[in-house]
Amino acid sequence: MLQTLKDRGYLSESRFAESYIRRQAARKGTSFIKQSLKQHQLTPEVIASVTANLQASEESRARELWDRRFGSVAVDPKERLRQMRFLASRGFSHEVIRRITRSD
């Protein structure tokens, strides 16, 4: 039954993955999305093809999320760590987190 639906084009792993990315990209980082797609048992080739553009937009997506939540760089180290944990829990890379939360 499922194979028949796949053969007819009604079920597609790549369409599912693209739809999932559209829903999650504004709130989640690349590593979170990749891990979620792996949990859905998609093939590594499908994951690589649909997540290729996510890395390029990761900093802008993280900055938008951070701006909505915090809006300003923390002066207090405790608050800075809180902001860093917030972004890390959503799967953004450590390099992106450092660039966003540093006070230059």
Side-chain angles (χ1 to χ4, degrees):
M1 178 71 177
L2 287 178
Q3 189 58 42
T4 305
L5 293 173
K6 282 184 180 181
D7 292 341
R8 292 183 181 172
Y10 294 126
L11 292 177
S12 170
E13 287 183 350
S14 60
R15 277 200 326 262
F16 167 76
E18 289 168 1
S19 172
Y20 184 82
I21 288 173
R22 277 193 303 276
R23 288 191 316 268
Q24 297 293 326
R27 297 180 313 274
K28 304 293 183 183
T30 304
S31 62
F32 181 92
I33 292 172
K34 283 182 179 181
Q35 186 61 35
S36 295
L37 292 175
K38 286 178 189 175
Q39 289 177 349
H40 285 286
Q41 299 177 353
L42 299 179
T43 62
E45 296 82 21
V46 170
I47 293 172
S49 68
V50 297
T51 59
N53 296 329
L54 280 180
Q55 195 66 36
S57 67
E58 183 169 27
E59 186 169 354
S60 64
R61 293 182 291 119
R63 188 166 300 280
E64 287 176 21
L65 184 63
W66 177 81
D67 277 339
R68 275 187 275 147
R69 176 72 181 233
F70 302 107
S72 64
V73 177
V75 180
D76 178 31
K78 187 176 178 180
E79 177 62 22
R80 183 172 182 252
L81 286 174
R82 183 173 156 278
Q83 292 179 6
M84 293 173 84
R85 280 192 308 270
F86 172 78
L87 292 172
S89 71
R90 275 135 182 93
F92 292 102
S93 71
H94 297 292
E95 183 59 35
V96 167
I97 293 170
R98 276 194 293 273
R99 282 196 298 260
I100 290 173
T101 57
R102 71 176 175 216
S103 57
D104 289 345

